[in-house]
Amino acid sequence: MTDPLLSVRNLRVTFATRQGEFQAVRGVGFDLGRERLGVVGESGSGKSMTGRAILGLVRPPGRVTADRMELEGQSILNLSERKMRRIRGSRISMVMQDPKFSLNPVMTIGDQIIEAYRLHAGGAKGQARQKALDMLAAVQIREPERVMAAYPHEMSGGMGQRIMIAMMLAPDPEILIADEPTSALDVSVRTEVLNILDRLVRDRGMGLIFISHDLNLVAQFCDRVLIMYAGRIVETLSARTLHEARHPYTQGLLNSLPRLDAPVDRLPVLPRQDSWRDGGPVGESLETDLPGGL
Amino acid sequence: MLTVENLDVWFGFPPDRVDAVRSADFSVAQGESFGLVGESGSGKSTILRAIAGLIDSWSGRIEVAGRSVTGDRRDRAFYKTVQMVFQDPYASLHPRHSVDAVLSEALRLQGMDDIDNRIQRLLDDVGLGRGFRFRYPHQLSGGQRQRVAIARALAGEPRLLLLDEPTSALDVSVQAEILNLLADLRAEHRLTYLMVSHDLAVVGHMCDRLAVMQHGRIVEVMTVDALRQGAARQDYTRHLIHASAGYERV
């Protein structure tokens, strides 16, 4: 077995509040190989916070602790901002949910991609420009020249998200963290964006962490799925066996979705149990099993 | 209950005029639940807003409970018949008004008496306990807020509810609760629903019939049974059904 790209053990993110300490992430551990790893949970389950903690984006008063957080054997836990900047963007990148808020509205798209690329890779402007055009072509933007000169408000949501992906991929990162990359998109555009991500993972051997609330989508798209509840991983599944989920929370999530092919009169609601907060995870061991392409 | 004929809605003036809805036709019977589905920009929410009187630039005919409406002026009787629930429960409640203030204002505007008891009943109707009456929106979860928004819509005992993506800002387990609540309320109060959603499965669950929209036009009106059996007649509908089914690796 190859060494994992990213290895996380006992990750905790803590916020001090007036009511005492609040842990948004409570002891999360996983290994990421060259695969598509899905992280699923409802709002407040800590899935986005996990992604942000890996990138060192949790700001004080938030505190990140972990027994281990290693990128290819090298610890990236609580690095200084300067050192983190060398990793963030160039080795681990992130695509956020809404392209409207992640693109600079007063800069042309070309300038933004060129800026992001040169920040990490340096090089001459002409070369960076060529790279930006290549990246836009890689995410299947039809007229890259025109798009380079355009401003973000001239783009649709799907275009914006593809541009974000292009920008994040320009420095050739090893890991891409995609935080709800398709939630703001229409279903037909969603398929295109997922196809692009899928191809990039396959062709470049990238590791992808796909954060989403959409359990079915993740199961169809990813190789392996972590289910989070109240800041902890309650179940790890290989995506193909999602429908054999054993944890009542995972089962409840699956059942509460209306389905076109299986109509019901009433949707089953999810009775939450306190024991889920602290019970151990069910499923395969987190430490070893890395199905899919290793 | 609701008839829409040859509805055009536009924004702006030539040469920048955008035709958001083009010759839309459909009708919703008393007690029926009708869905409008389509992708963003297809004009589905615009139809709802034109009916509710939030847009004045439209032409065609909108008839609610046998009475035609014009422009963006609506009388009291209209708002007693028709109410709307919006997508984002975080934006549609005033952050400094308690649940009690929100509901009593709605009741007073509808000319109701016995407000104290009615608030109690509204809260019971939407499954919120008495403990919620004096809370502020920031003390409520998304699902609870949407329940308050639904209670507010029910204050005037309307007959037609316009639902604009009522669950798309919510988690799936909360979505299930709200959809169940809406189904119960429809049965109890014999309501008519016009529901906008981008989620075919949600519309399939809630509605009897639906209209599929693309680029401002209704491309197909079909029953949910036909939808389930894959009996869509238009390519676009089939494409939408296929894309909604999830992701297939190519």
Side-chain angles (χ1 to χ4, degrees), chain A residues 159-209:
Chain A
M159 290 268 265
Q161 200 59 296
R162 278 185 275 176
I163 290 162
M164 277 312 294
I165 294 173
M167 190 186 294
M168 292 303 133
L169 292 173
D172 266 320
E174 291 144 71
I175 296 174
L176 182 68
I177 301 176
D179 189 356
E180 305 261 10
T182 58
S183 310
L185 307 179
D186 283 322
V187 281
S188 55
V189 185
R190 176 177 83 184
T191 312
E192 285 171 39
V193 170
L194 290 178
N195 279 337
I196 290 165
L197 283 176
D198 190 34
R199 194 151 15 84
L200 291 165
V201 173
R202 254 183 313 171
D203 298 352
R204 301 181 176 214
M206 240 175 25
L208 174 70
I209 299 181

Side-chain angles (χ1 to χ4, degrees), chain A residues 36 42-43 186-188 190 194-195 198 220-222 253 256-260 263-267 269-270 272, chain B residues 39-40 171-173 175-177 179-180 184 200-202 204-205 227-228 239-240 243-247 249-250:
Chain A
R36 290 158 294 214
E42 298 192 279
S43 7
D186 283 322
V187 281
S188 55
R190 176 177 83 184
L194 290 178
N195 279 337
D198 190 34
Q220 287 160 341
F221 180 68
C222 294
L253 277 185
S256 61
L257 281 168
R259 285 173 52 176
L260 273 184
V264 288
D265 279 342
R266 284 186 76 77
L267 294 165
V269 294
L270 183 64
R272 286 154 204 280
Chain B
E39 305 195 38
S40 19
D171 279 324
V172 289
S173 61
Q175 165 172 294
E177 292 170 20
L179 292 181
N180 284 341
D184 292 346
L200 274 176
V202 166
H205 177 70
L227 174 74
R228 287 193 201 285
H239 163 77
L240 202 64
S244 315
Y247 179 74
R249 215 162 275 174
V250 283

Side-chain angles (χ1 to χ4, degrees), chain A residues 19-231:
Chain A
Q19 285 85 37
E21 296 210 319
F22 174 76
Q23 288 203 343
V25 179
R26 304 182 298 144
V28 163
F30 61 89
D31 285 333
L32 175 74
R34 300 186 188 283
E35 60 174 332
R36 290 158 294 214
L37 175 68
V39 180
V40 181
E42 298 192 279
S43 7
S45 61
K47 55 189 195 304
S48 293
M49 211 32 100
T50 304
R52 299 178 72 90
I54 294 167
L55 274 172
L57 288 173
V58 178
R59 297 280 173 245
R63 246 184 18 250
V64 180
T65 58
D67 292 350
R68 183 161 90 206
M69 189 151 87
E70 288 176 351
L71 176 64
E72 293 186 295
Q74 172 204 2
S75 174
I76 54 166
L77 180 65
N78 294 325
L79 287 181
S80 71
E81 188 57 22
R82 246 181 77 206
K83 285 189 180 149
M84 198 64 220
R85 252 185 225 148
R86 235 173 281 154
I87 291 171
R88 194 191 297 141
S90 56
R91 298 185 63 194
I92 310 179
S93 258
M94 187 160 187
V95 176
M96 308 266 187
Q97 176 169 359
D98 198 336
K100 274 196 214 89
F101 300 115
S102 7
L103 290 168
N104 184 343
V106 294
M107 233 172 131
T108 63
I109 283 154
D111 285 348
Q112 293 187 52
I113 303 181
I114 290 170
E115 182 191 44
Y117 177 70
R118 292 187 72 203
L119 204 62
H120 296 293
K125 210 164 178 182
Q127 183 202 343
R129 194 184 145 71
Q130 191 50 51
K131 180 84 183 172
L133 283 171
D134 292 348
M135 289 325 300
L136 287 177
V139 294
Q140 290 178 328
I141 282 182
R142 272 185 291 277
E143 301 167 85
E145 287 283 356
R146 185 181 68 82
V147 170
M148 288 280 279
Y151 286 91
H153 73 268
E154 300 171 61
M155 298 291 121
S156 67
M159 290 268 265
Q161 200 59 296
R162 278 185 275 176
I163 290 162
M164 277 312 294
I165 294 173
M167 190 186 294
M168 292 303 133
L169 292 173
D172 266 320
E174 291 144 71
I175 296 174
L176 182 68
I177 301 176
D179 189 356
E180 305 261 10
T182 58
S183 310
L185 307 179
D186 283 322
V187 281
S188 55
V189 185
R190 176 177 83 184
T191 312
E192 285 171 39
V193 170
L194 290 178
N195 279 337
I196 290 165
L197 283 176
D198 190 34
R199 194 151 15 84
L200 291 165
V201 173
R202 254 183 313 171
D203 298 352
R204 301 181 176 214
M206 240 175 25
L208 174 70
I209 299 181
F210 188 91
I211 300 172
S212 176
H213 66 277
D214 190 336
L215 194 49
N216 280 315
L217 181 69
V218 166
Q220 287 160 341
F221 180 68
C222 294
D223 304 307
R224 207 155 53 101
V225 187
L226 310 177
I227 319 284
M228 286 189 72
Y229 180 76

Side-chain angles (χ1 to χ4, degrees), chain B residues 21-70:
Chain B
V21 177
R22 283 180 273 190
S23 40
D25 280 303
F26 64 92
S27 62
V28 185
Q30 167 74 42
E32 194 185 16
S33 174
F34 190 87
L36 285 173
V37 297
E39 305 195 38
S40 19
S42 62
K44 52 193 194 306
S45 294
T46 306
I47 290 185
L48 233 56
R49 300 178 75 85
I51 295 170
L54 297 169
I55 297 171
D56 63 350
S57 52
W58 58 273
S59 67
R61 203 162 72 88
I62 298 176
E63 198 183 286
V64 175
R67 295 180 56 200
S68 288
V69 297
T70 48

